Amino acid sequence: MAQKSRALTEMCKFLLLIFFLPCEITSSVLTVNGRTESYILNTRRNVQESLICAVQNHTSEEELLWYREEGRVDLKPGNKINSSSVCVSPISENDNGVTFTCKLQRDQSMSISVVLNVIFSPLLSGDDVQTAEEGSDVQLVCNVKSNPQAQMMWHKNNSILKFEKNHHQVYQTSESLRLSISKVKKSDNGTYSCVAISPLEKNETVKDFLLIVKDKAQTIPIEPIIAASVVIFLTLCFGLVARRNRIMKLCRKDPAPRSGTAL
C-alpha cells in the first residue's frame, strides 16, 4: 500500500514537471531598456533618449504598441514585432512628467511605463516694460519653469527689494512670481529683477522688468461743462424764440393810411 502511494506521488510530480515547468520557462516577459518594471528616467534638456521595448521568452511573434500619455505613437512597420523603440530628441522642458508606455498588442494589460523627469535650470519670461499712471495699481508677473522648483525673489535696482506694508505684495505659485504694487508713486520707478536660484546648480537666473511711472493725468470735470453747455443752449433757444415773436408782431401791424390830393 505504501509502495502504491509513493508511486502515485512520483507520478504527480512527473506530471507537474511536464505541464507547468515549460509554461513558466516560455512565458513572455516585457522589458524597457532591460527593466521589467515601470520606472522614472532622469534626464536633461537638449539630450536624446531612446526607449527600447522588447519581449523576452516569446514563442511566436509579438506586436508591440507605444503610447505617449494617452496618444498612440505611430511606429514604422519594421519597428513593431518583438522589439520596438522610440526616440525623444531633443528633450525639452515640455517633456517633463510625460509618460511613455509600451504594451503587448494581444494583452495590453502587460505593459511598462517610463516617466521622464527632465532636470533643467529656471526659464523666466514676462513683459519687459510696463507703464503705469501715478496712483494706479500695478502687477509685475514673472513666469517661471524649473525642475526642481527654484527659490524666487524680487530685486530693485540691483538690491533686494524692501517691502512696504500695504504697498507691496508677493504671490508665488509653481509657475509664476507676482509683485503687486498698490497706488504706485514716482519713487517706484526703476528696474525690478525676478531672481531664480536652482537648488542643484546654485546659480542665479535673472529677468528684468522696467517700471515707468507717469504723472497723473489732469482730469477736467465734465459736469460743469455739461451744465454750462445746457445753459448756453437754452439761452440761445430763448433768444431765438423772442426774436421770432418780435418779427411776427411787426408783420401783423396794419399799414399806415396814405394822405394825398386828388387832381
Side-chain angles (χ1 to χ4, degrees):
M1 187 69 179
Q3 289 180 351
K4 288 182 179 181
S5 178
R6 282 196 299 272
L8 185 59
T9 301
E10 293 298 326
M11 181 62 71
C12 289
K13 289 180 179 180
F14 179 76
L15 292 174
L16 286 172
L17 287 174
I18 291 176
F19 291 105
F20 290 95
L21 186 58
C23 293
E24 292 180 1
I25 292 174
T26 59
S27 60
S28 298
V29 177
L30 204 59
T31 63
V32 172
N33 290 2
R35 301 195 181 194
T36 57
E37 295 181 353
S38 299
Y39 67 100
I40 296 174
L41 175 61
N42 294 321
T43 184
R44 290 185 174 272
R45 293 176 67 234
N46 301 321
V47 303
Q48 176 179 303
E49 293 291 351
S50 294
L51 304 176
I52 303 173
C53 182
V55 186
Q56 309 294 335
N57 303 329
H58 58 87
T59 57
S60 60
E61 291 188 341
E62 298 281 5
E63 183 177 349
L64 297 171
L65 307 174
W66 272 107
Y67 288 85
R68 178 188 171 107
E69 297 294 335
E70 300 300 323
R72 185 169 169 177
V73 179
D74 187 20
L75 300 173
K76 293 182 179 180
N79 188 27
K80 295 181 179 181
I81 306 301
N82 298 334
S83 179
S84 178
S85 63
V86 293
C87 180
V88 187
S89 177
I91 295 287
S92 75
E93 65 277 4
N94 297 323
D95 295 315
N96 185 45
V98 171
T99 301
F100 286 87
T101 304
C102 178
K103 296 183 179 183
L104 201 62
Q105 196 277 336
R106 66 173 175 84
D107 182 9
Q108 296 190 24
S109 64
M110 185 179 293
S111 65
I112 295 181
S113 296
V114 180
V115 180
L116 299 184
N117 182 39
V118 184
I119 307 298
F120 59 96
S121 300
L123 303 173
L124 307 179
S125 63
D127 294 333
D128 296 332
V129 180
Q130 190 161 341
T131 304
E133 187 178 282
E134 191 174 9
S136 63
D137 296 338
V138 173
Q139 274 200 355
L140 302 179
V141 181
C142 178
N143 301 309
V144 57
K145 286 186 176 182
S146 177
N147 185 34
Q149 188 170 346
Q151 179 184 354
M152 306 290 294
M153 64 185 71
W154 283 103
H155 287 188
K156 180 185 177 185
N157 298 331
N158 299 319
S159 299
I160 295 176
L161 177 63
K162 296 179 180 179
F163 291 92
E164 297 180 25
K165 188 177 181 181
N166 299 326
H167 188 57
H168 297 103
Q169 291 288 336
V170 174
Y171 306 92
Q172 183 173 359
T173 68
S174 60
E175 298 179 346
S176 69
L177 179 71
R178 292 184 296 142
L179 174 63
S180 177
I181 307 176
S182 301
K183 298 180 180 178
V184 292
K185 303 171 288 187
K186 281 289 188 178
S187 59
D188 292 318
N189 267 312
T191 300
Y192 292 78
S193 301
C194 175
V195 181
I197 303 174
S198 171
L200 293 180
E201 302 172 357
K202 302 299 181 183
N203 61 322
E204 291 185 355
T205 303
V206 180
K207 168 70 179 175
D208 289 336
F209 297 82
L210 178 62
L211 176 61
I212 302 172
V213 181
K214 301 187 301 181
D215 291 332
K216 190 172 183 179
Q218 296 295 327
T219 57
I220 300 175
I222 194 169
E223 290 83 0
I225 295 176
I226 294 174
S229 300
V230 171
V231 170
I232 293 171
F233 176 75
L234 293 176
T235 302
L236 290 173
C237 289
F238 290 142
L240 290 173
V241 171
R243 182 178 178 83
R244 179 177 177 277
N245 290 337
R246 288 198 299 271
I247 293 172
M248 293 298 292
K249 286 180 179 180
L250 290 174
C251 292
R252 290 172 183 167
K253 287 182 179 181
D254 294 329
R258 294 181 180 180
S259 61
T261 305
L263 296 178

